[in-house]
């Protein structure tokens, strides 16, 4: 089986389109989206249209839930008042720019997708099996907790996103946890590339992470034209996060500039 897993699209329809092309070139039989299709990006309808037109199975992220049901995103996502203000402004923009039909699609997305392949049970979620907005960080999520989550969910392989940073862990039981990373912005590493996860069950290491180059200058220009906060375009162009930093564990934050 070959499949691609994209997450945290956040309105970056340009990277989404390129990731889907790249996955097909690699022989992907399926593409799965791990949620947060919208939010923090320009023209949210375009990302939704790409997924709907190609029948990509998609789980619901907290931003999809908030936009689809026209409510605020969970407070656990924004510990800093300034960040919460940016999020409220962006939420108003995204709701206004997302058609009613696409909002209904976002509202109806499932919280999890599961399938079996070659004797293994795969579970796809946005944050964790317990909560849509629970972040699973590489540096701070205990191995025992990951074991418990995957076991209790009845899965062998858990694939998530939400944190915006890609990583994977092979657990002592043989279970696997994969965070597919983000298409919506770089991995706070000083490069402009974004990431998605690729599964090839015939490879020695079944899961790999794919760095993706795309026209980020075009995305930044669209952000400016739509009058989105300057911080959003800065992160796209510099590769360093300018928002969301208060939620990062120390090890992950030290990778960045701020």
């Amino acid at each position: 089986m070959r499949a691609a897993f994209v997450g945290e699209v956040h309105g970056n329809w340009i990277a989404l389109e390129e990731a889907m092309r790249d996955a097909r070139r690699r022989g992907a039989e399926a593409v799965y989206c791990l949620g947060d299709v919208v939010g923090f990006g320009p023209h949210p309808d375009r990302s939704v249209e790409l997924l709907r037109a190609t029948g990509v199975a998609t789980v619901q992220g907290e931003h999809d839930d908030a936009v689809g049901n026209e409510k605020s995103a969970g407070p656990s996502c924004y510990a800093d008042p300034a960040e919460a203000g940016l999020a409220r402004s962006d939420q108003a923009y995204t709701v206004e720019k997302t058609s009613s039909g696409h909002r209904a699609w976002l509202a109806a997305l499932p919280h999890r997708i599961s399938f079996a392949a070659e004797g293994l049970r795969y579970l796809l979620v946005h944050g964790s099996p317990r909560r849509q907005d629970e972040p699973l960080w590489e540096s701070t999520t205990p191995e025992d907790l990951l074991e418990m989550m995957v076991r209790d969910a009845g899965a062998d392989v858990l694939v998530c996103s939400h944190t915006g940073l890609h990583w994977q862990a092979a657990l002592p039981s043989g279970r696997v946890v994969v965070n597919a990373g983000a298409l919506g912005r770089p991995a706070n590493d000083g490069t402009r590339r974004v990431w998605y996860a690729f599964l090839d069950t015939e490879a020695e290491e079944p899961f790999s992470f794919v760095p993706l180059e795309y026209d980020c200058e075009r995305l930044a220009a669209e952000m400016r034209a739509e009058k989105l906060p300057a911080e959003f375009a800065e992160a796209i162009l510099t590769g360093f996060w300018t928002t969301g930093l208060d939620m990062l564990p120390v090890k992950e934050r030290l990778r960045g500039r701020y």
Side-chain angles (χ1 to χ4, degrees):
M1 177 183 179
R2 290 179 179 173
F5 302 85
V6 302
E8 297 285 286
V9 178
H10 283 307
N12 190 347
W13 68 274
I14 302 170
L16 176 61
E17 191 172 54
E18 181 56 38
M20 293 170 73
R21 281 196 294 262
D22 188 72
R24 286 194 293 270
R25 286 194 294 265
R26 295 172 186 271
E29 303 153 24
V31 177
Y32 296 92
C33 179
L34 301 163
D36 276 359
V37 179
V38 298
F40 304 121
H43 310 298
D45 265 356
R46 296 180 184 178
S47 296
V48 177
E49 285 165 3
L50 278 171
L51 295 173
R52 296 188 72 179
T54 51
V56 172
T58 304
V59 300
Q60 186 188 70
E62 79 277 4
H63 288 277
D64 306 322
D65 181 25
V67 171
N69 292 293
E70 298 187 49
K71 63 182 185 181
S72 61
S76 64
C77 296
Y78 311 109
D80 182 89
E83 300 253 344
L86 286 176
R88 285 192 297 271
S89 173
D90 177 74
Q91 168 77 357
Y93 164 85
T94 307
V95 169
E96 178 187 356
K97 296 289 186 172
T98 306
S99 68
S100 59
H102 288 343
R103 289 200 304 272
W105 181 80
L106 291 168
L109 288 173
H111 282 207
R112 55 177 62 194
I113 292 171
S114 58
F115 62 87
E118 300 187 21
L120 295 178
R121 299 162 297 175
Y122 291 77
L123 176 64
L124 317 183
V125 300
H126 180 66
S128 82
R130 304 190 301 186
R131 205 177 72 230
Q132 188 182 58
D133 62 352
E134 180 176 17
L136 300 182
W137 300 105
E138 181 179 17
S139 69
T140 61
T141 308
E143 193 174 73
D144 289 347
L145 177 59
L146 293 175
E147 285 275 26
M148 181 192 72
M149 283 186 182
V150 185
R151 181 199 67 214
D152 291 353
D156 301 300
V157 181
L158 173 68
V159 188
C160 62
S161 60
H162 185 52
T163 66
L165 300 173
H166 56 284
W167 59 274
Q168 65 175 308
L171 304 177
S173 65
R175 298 181 177 95
V176 176
V177 176
V178 178
N179 190 311
L183 290 183
R185 62 177 174 175
N188 199 29
D189 60 2
T191 75
R192 293 177 166 190
R193 62 193 179 187
V194 293
W195 297 82
Y196 74 92
F198 192 84
L199 171 67
D200 182 350
T201 57
E202 292 185 346
E204 184 175 347
E205 294 291 337
F207 275 99
S208 60
F209 296 108
V210 179
L212 189 74
E213 304 285 349
Y214 72 101
D215 192 348
C216 59
E217 295 281 358
R218 181 181 178 185
L219 180 71
E222 290 188 0
M223 287 177 163
R224 289 191 289 265
E226 291 295 294
K227 297 181 171 54
L228 294 179
E231 293 92 334
F232 297 175
E234 181 183 347
I236 293 297
L237 295 175
T238 66
F240 291 114
W241 291 11
T242 54
T243 60
L245 296 169
D246 57 320
M247 302 300 291
L248 279 174
V250 173
K251 183 177 179 180
E252 281 81 355
R253 184 160 184 170
L254 286 173
R255 299 173 189 168
R257 175 183 290 172
Y258 302 109

PDB file of all heavy atoms in Angstrom, residues 137-161:
ATOM      1  N   TRP A 137       3.194  16.043  21.330  1.00  0.00           N
ATOM      2  CA  TRP A 137       4.517  16.579  21.026  1.00  0.00           C
ATOM      3  C   TRP A 137       5.575  15.490  21.119  1.00  0.00           C
ATOM      4  O   TRP A 137       5.547  14.655  22.028  1.00  0.00           O
ATOM      5  CB  TRP A 137       4.877  17.705  21.986  1.00  0.00           C
ATOM      6  CG  TRP A 137       3.954  18.861  21.967  1.00  0.00           C
ATOM      7  CD1 TRP A 137       3.006  19.174  22.903  1.00  0.00           C
ATOM      8  CD2 TRP A 137       3.868  19.876  20.966  1.00  0.00           C
ATOM      9  NE1 TRP A 137       2.341  20.324  22.543  1.00  0.00           N
ATOM     10  CE2 TRP A 137       2.851  20.780  21.358  1.00  0.00           C
ATOM     11  CE3 TRP A 137       4.552  20.115  19.772  1.00  0.00           C
ATOM     12  CZ2 TRP A 137       2.508  21.887  20.606  1.00  0.00           C
ATOM     13  CZ3 TRP A 137       4.213  21.227  19.024  1.00  0.00           C
ATOM     14  CH2 TRP A 137       3.193  22.103  19.440  1.00  0.00           C
ATOM     15  N   GLU A 138       6.540  15.545  20.225  1.00  0.00           N
ATOM     16  CA  GLU A 138       7.601  14.542  20.224  1.00  0.00           C
ATOM     17  C   GLU A 138       8.397  14.560  21.526  1.00  0.00           C
ATOM     18  O   GLU A 138       8.751  13.507  22.070  1.00  0.00           O
ATOM     19  CB  GLU A 138       8.542  14.785  19.036  1.00  0.00           C
ATOM     20  CG  GLU A 138       9.663  13.778  18.930  1.00  0.00           C
ATOM     21  CD  GLU A 138      10.554  14.025  17.728  1.00  0.00           C
ATOM     22  OE1 GLU A 138      10.519  15.130  17.151  1.00  0.00           O
ATOM     23  OE2 GLU A 138      11.293  13.094  17.362  1.00  0.00           O
ATOM     24  N   SER A 139       8.668  15.749  22.056  1.00  0.00           N
ATOM     25  CA  SER A 139       9.575  15.852  23.199  1.00  0.00           C
ATOM     26  C   SER A 139       8.897  15.643  24.548  1.00  0.00           C
ATOM     27  O   SER A 139       9.579  15.343  25.531  1.00  0.00           O
ATOM     28  CB  SER A 139      10.269  17.224  23.194  1.00  0.00           C
ATOM     29  OG  SER A 139       9.334  18.254  23.494  1.00  0.00           O
ATOM     30  N   THR A 140       7.590  15.808  24.625  1.00  0.00           N
ATOM     31  CA  THR A 140       6.949  15.823  25.939  1.00  0.00           C
ATOM     32  C   THR A 140       5.836  14.801  26.124  1.00  0.00           C
ATOM     33  O   THR A 140       5.318  14.670  27.240  1.00  0.00           O
ATOM     34  CB  THR A 140       6.359  17.220  26.246  1.00  0.00           C
ATOM     35  OG1 THR A 140       5.368  17.548  25.262  1.00  0.00           O
ATOM     36  CG2 THR A 140       7.455  18.278  26.264  1.00  0.00           C
ATOM     37  N   THR A 141       5.434  14.089  25.075  1.00  0.00           N
ATOM     38  CA  THR A 141       4.361  13.101  25.228  1.00  0.00           C
ATOM     39  C   THR A 141       4.985  11.771  25.655  1.00  0.00           C
ATOM     40  O   THR A 141       5.745  11.173  24.891  1.00  0.00           O
ATOM     41  CB  THR A 141       3.575  12.911  23.924  1.00  0.00           C
ATOM     42  OG1 THR A 141       3.141  14.185  23.443  1.00  0.00           O
ATOM     43  CG2 THR A 141       2.359  12.026  24.168  1.00  0.00           C
ATOM     44  N   PRO A 142       4.691  11.289  26.863  1.00  0.00           N
ATOM     45  CA  PRO A 142       5.341  10.062  27.343  1.00  0.00           C
ATOM     46  C   PRO A 142       5.001   8.855  26.474  1.00  0.00           C
ATOM     47  O   PRO A 142       3.881   8.725  25.960  1.00  0.00           O
ATOM     48  CB  PRO A 142       4.767   9.893  28.764  1.00  0.00           C
ATOM     49  CG  PRO A 142       4.249  11.244  29.142  1.00  0.00           C
ATOM     50  CD  PRO A 142       3.797  11.882  27.865  1.00  0.00           C
ATOM     51  N   GLU A 143       5.971   7.985  26.325  1.00  0.00           N
ATOM     52  CA  GLU A 143       5.780   6.766  25.545  1.00  0.00           C
ATOM     53  C   GLU A 143       4.630   5.929  26.090  1.00  0.00           C
ATOM     54  O   GLU A 143       3.840   5.357  25.335  1.00  0.00           O
ATOM     55  CB  GLU A 143       7.075   5.966  25.546  1.00  0.00           C
ATOM     56  CG  GLU A 143       7.145   4.851  24.543  1.00  0.00           C
ATOM     57  CD  GLU A 143       8.509   4.206  24.522  1.00  0.00           C
ATOM     58  OE1 GLU A 143       8.833   3.470  25.488  1.00  0.00           O
ATOM     59  OE2 GLU A 143       9.261   4.451  23.558  1.00  0.00           O
ATOM     60  N   ASP A 144       4.534   5.857  27.432  1.00  0.00           N
ATOM     61  CA  ASP A 144       3.463   5.069  28.047  1.00  0.00           C
ATOM     62  C   ASP A 144       2.092   5.628  27.676  1.00  0.00           C
ATOM     63  O   ASP A 144       1.139   4.864  27.492  1.00  0.00           O
ATOM     64  CB  ASP A 144       3.609   5.042  29.572  1.00  0.00           C
ATOM     65  CG  ASP A 144       4.783   4.201  30.035  1.00  0.00           C
ATOM     66  OD1 ASP A 144       5.326   3.446  29.206  1.00  0.00           O
ATOM     67  OD2 ASP A 144       5.158   4.302  31.213  1.00  0.00           O
ATOM     68  N   LEU A 145       2.002   6.960  27.581  1.00  0.00           N
ATOM     69  CA  LEU A 145       0.719   7.567  27.205  1.00  0.00           C
ATOM     70  C   LEU A 145       0.377   7.240  25.760  1.00  0.00           C
ATOM     71  O   LEU A 145      -0.778   6.923  25.437  1.00  0.00           O
ATOM     72  CB  LEU A 145       0.790   9.083  27.404  1.00  0.00           C
ATOM     73  CG  LEU A 145      -0.453   9.882  26.983  1.00  0.00           C
ATOM     74  CD1 LEU A 145      -1.690   9.416  27.749  1.00  0.00           C
ATOM     75  CD2 LEU A 145      -0.227  11.383  27.192  1.00  0.00           C
ATOM     76  N   LEU A 146       1.360   7.299  24.886  1.00  0.00           N
ATOM     77  CA  LEU A 146       1.115   6.937  23.492  1.00  0.00           C
ATOM     78  C   LEU A 146       0.660   5.484  23.377  1.00  0.00           C
ATOM     79  O   LEU A 146      -0.283   5.174  22.637  1.00  0.00           O
ATOM     80  CB  LEU A 146       2.376   7.155  22.660  1.00  0.00           C
ATOM     81  CG  LEU A 146       2.843   8.605  22.485  1.00  0.00           C
ATOM     82  CD1 LEU A 146       4.182   8.639  21.750  1.00  0.00           C
ATOM     83  CD2 LEU A 146       1.818   9.432  21.748  1.00  0.00           C
ATOM     84  N   GLU A 147       1.325   4.593  24.107  1.00  0.00           N
ATOM     85  CA  GLU A 147       0.928   3.181  24.103  1.00  0.00           C
ATOM     86  C   GLU A 147      -0.532   3.033  24.515  1.00  0.00           C
ATOM     87  O   GLU A 147      -1.312   2.319  23.870  1.00  0.00           O
ATOM     88  CB  GLU A 147       1.816   2.374  25.055  1.00  0.00           C
ATOM     89  CG  GLU A 147       3.210   2.112  24.541  1.00  0.00           C
ATOM     90  CD  GLU A 147       3.297   0.879  23.642  1.00  0.00           C
ATOM     91  OE1 GLU A 147       2.288   0.505  23.012  1.00  0.00           O
ATOM     92  OE2 GLU A 147       4.405   0.326  23.549  1.00  0.00           O
ATOM     93  N   MET A 148      -0.906   3.709  25.595  1.00  0.00           N
ATOM     94  CA  MET A 148      -2.263   3.597  26.106  1.00  0.00           C
ATOM     95  C   MET A 148      -3.281   4.124  25.095  1.00  0.00           C
ATOM     96  O   MET A 148      -4.310   3.496  24.845  1.00  0.00           O
ATOM     97  CB  MET A 148      -2.397   4.369  27.418  1.00  0.00           C
ATOM     98  CG  MET A 148      -3.781   4.286  28.052  1.00  0.00           C
ATOM     99  SD  MET A 148      -3.984   5.476  29.402  1.00  0.00           S
ATOM    100  CE  MET A 148      -4.086   7.022  28.473  1.00  0.00           C
ATOM    101  N   MET A 149      -2.988   5.265  24.495  1.00  0.00           N
ATOM    102  CA  MET A 149      -3.910   5.871  23.536  1.00  0.00           C
ATOM    103  C   MET A 149      -4.162   4.952  22.342  1.00  0.00           C
ATOM    104  O   MET A 149      -5.300   4.722  21.937  1.00  0.00           O
ATOM    105  CB  MET A 149      -3.359   7.200  23.027  1.00  0.00           C
ATOM    106  CG  MET A 149      -3.494   8.359  23.958  1.00  0.00           C
ATOM    107  SD  MET A 149      -2.937   9.856  23.111  1.00  0.00           S
ATOM    108  CE  MET A 149      -3.132  11.057  24.412  1.00  0.00           C
ATOM    109  N   VAL A 150      -3.067   4.451  21.767  1.00  0.00           N
ATOM    110  CA  VAL A 150      -3.204   3.630  20.567  1.00  0.00           C
ATOM    111  C   VAL A 150      -3.883   2.307  20.903  1.00  0.00           C
ATOM    112  O   VAL A 150      -4.764   1.834  20.182  1.00  0.00           O
ATOM    113  CB  VAL A 150      -1.834   3.404  19.896  1.00  0.00           C
ATOM    114  CG1 VAL A 150      -2.013   2.650  18.581  1.00  0.00           C
ATOM    115  CG2 VAL A 150      -1.137   4.730  19.637  1.00  0.00           C
ATOM    116  N   ARG A 151      -3.489   1.702  22.028  1.00  0.00           N
ATOM    117  CA  ARG A 151      -4.113   0.434  22.451  1.00  0.00           C
ATOM    118  C   ARG A 151      -5.599   0.608  22.708  1.00  0.00           C
ATOM    119  O   ARG A 151      -6.423  -0.172  22.223  1.00  0.00           O
ATOM    120  CB  ARG A 151      -3.418  -0.063  23.723  1.00  0.00           C
ATOM    121  CG  ARG A 151      -3.953  -1.389  24.264  1.00  0.00           C
ATOM    122  CD  ARG A 151      -3.572  -1.561  25.718  1.00  0.00           C
ATOM    123  NE  ARG A 151      -4.239  -0.584  26.562  1.00  0.00           N
ATOM    124  CZ  ARG A 151      -3.702  -0.047  27.662  1.00  0.00           C
ATOM    125  NH1 ARG A 151      -2.475  -0.366  28.040  1.00  0.00           N
ATOM    126  NH2 ARG A 151      -4.391   0.838  28.380  1.00  0.00           N
ATOM    127  N   ASP A 152      -5.950   1.646  23.476  1.00  0.00           N
ATOM    128  CA  ASP A 152      -7.359   1.847  23.821  1.00  0.00           C
ATOM    129  C   ASP A 152      -8.206   2.191  22.602  1.00  0.00           C
ATOM    130  O   ASP A 152      -9.423   1.954  22.597  1.00  0.00           O
ATOM    131  CB  ASP A 152      -7.496   2.948  24.878  1.00  0.00           C
ATOM    132  CG  ASP A 152      -6.953   2.528  26.235  1.00  0.00           C
ATOM    133  OD1 ASP A 152      -6.595   1.342  26.391  1.00  0.00           O
ATOM    134  OD2 ASP A 152      -6.887   3.384  27.144  1.00  0.00           O
ATOM    135  N   ALA A 153      -7.575   2.757  21.577  1.00  0.00           N
ATOM    136  CA  ALA A 153      -8.296   3.081  20.346  1.00  0.00           C
ATOM    137  C   ALA A 153      -8.433   1.868  19.435  1.00  0.00           C
ATOM    138  O   ALA A 153      -9.082   1.949  18.389  1.00  0.00           O
ATOM    139  CB  ALA A 153      -7.589   4.205  19.607  1.00  0.00           C
ATOM    140  N   GLY A 154      -7.817   0.746  19.826  1.00  0.00           N
ATOM    141  CA  GLY A 154      -7.913  -0.463  19.024  1.00  0.00           C
ATOM    142  C   GLY A 154      -7.145  -0.388  17.723  1.00  0.00           C
ATOM    143  O   GLY A 154      -7.541  -0.985  16.718  1.00  0.00           O
ATOM    144  N   ALA A 155      -6.019   0.340  17.739  1.00  0.00           N
ATOM    145  CA  ALA A 155      -5.250   0.546  16.511  1.00  0.00           C
ATOM    146  C   ALA A 155      -3.839   0.000  16.657  1.00  0.00           C
ATOM    147  O   ALA A 155      -3.339  -0.207  17.774  1.00  0.00           O
ATOM    148  CB  ALA A 155      -5.202   2.031  16.161  1.00  0.00           C
ATOM    149  N   ASP A 156      -3.205  -0.219  15.533  1.00  0.00           N
ATOM    150  CA  ASP A 156      -1.782  -0.556  15.484  1.00  0.00           C
ATOM    151  C   ASP A 156      -0.956   0.652  15.077  1.00  0.00           C
ATOM    152  O   ASP A 156       0.201   0.792  15.481  1.00  0.00           O
ATOM    153  CB  ASP A 156      -1.536  -1.686  14.486  1.00  0.00           C
ATOM    154  CG  ASP A 156      -2.300  -2.945  14.834  1.00  0.00           C
ATOM    155  OD1 ASP A 156      -2.070  -3.491  15.933  1.00  0.00           O
ATOM    156  OD2 ASP A 156      -3.145  -3.369  14.014  1.00  0.00           O
ATOM    157  N   VAL A 157      -1.549   1.505  14.243  1.00  0.00           N
ATOM    158  CA  VAL A 157      -0.858   2.697  13.744  1.00  0.00           C
ATOM    159  C   VAL A 157      -1.779   3.898  13.938  1.00  0.00           C
ATOM    160  O   VAL A 157      -2.929   3.891  13.486  1.00  0.00           O
ATOM    161  CB  VAL A 157      -0.499   2.564  12.253  1.00  0.00           C
ATOM    162  CG1 VAL A 157       0.232   3.815  11.774  1.00  0.00           C
ATOM    163  CG2 VAL A 157       0.340   1.322  12.003  1.00  0.00           C
ATOM    164  N   LEU A 158      -1.268   4.914  14.623  1.00  0.00           N
ATOM    165  CA  LEU A 158      -2.007   6.162  14.820  1.00  0.00           C
ATOM    166  C   LEU A 158      -1.341   7.243  13.987  1.00  0.00           C
ATOM    167  O   LEU A 158      -0.130   7.452  14.080  1.00  0.00           O
ATOM    168  CB  LEU A 158      -1.992   6.564  16.296  1.00  0.00           C
ATOM    169  CG  LEU A 158      -2.584   7.941  16.622  1.00  0.00           C
ATOM    170  CD1 LEU A 158      -4.091   7.951  16.384  1.00  0.00           C
ATOM    171  CD2 LEU A 158      -2.260   8.346  18.053  1.00  0.00           C
ATOM    172  N   VAL A 159      -2.122   7.947  13.161  1.00  0.00           N
ATOM    173  CA  VAL A 159      -1.607   9.061  12.362  1.00  0.00           C
ATOM    174  C   VAL A 159      -2.382  10.312  12.759  1.00  0.00           C
ATOM    175  O   VAL A 159      -3.619  10.314  12.753  1.00  0.00           O
ATOM    176  CB  VAL A 159      -1.746   8.793  10.851  1.00  0.00           C
ATOM    177  CG1 VAL A 159      -1.011   9.879  10.066  1.00  0.00           C
ATOM    178  CG2 VAL A 159      -1.197   7.424  10.478  1.00  0.00           C
ATOM    179  N   CYS A 160      -1.657  11.384  13.099  1.00  0.00           N
ATOM    180  CA  CYS A 160      -2.287  12.626  13.563  1.00  0.00           C
ATOM    181  C   CYS A 160      -1.561  13.818  12.948  1.00  0.00           C
ATOM    182  O   CYS A 160      -0.641  13.661  12.142  1.00  0.00           O
ATOM    183  CB  CYS A 160      -2.257  12.690  15.093  1.00  0.00           C
ATOM    184  SG  CYS A 160      -0.578  12.699  15.788  1.00  0.00           S
ATOM    185  N   SER A 161      -1.968  15.021  13.355  1.00  0.00           N
ATOM    186  CA  SER A 161      -1.246  16.237  12.955  1.00  0.00           C
ATOM    187  C   SER A 161      -1.345  17.239  14.104  1.00  0.00           C
ATOM    188  O   SER A 161      -0.785  17.023  15.151  1.00  0.00           O
ATOM    189  CB  SER A 161      -1.780  16.792  11.628  1.00  0.00           C
ATOM    190  OG  SER A 161      -3.143  17.113  11.711  1.00  0.00           O
TER     191      SER A 161
END
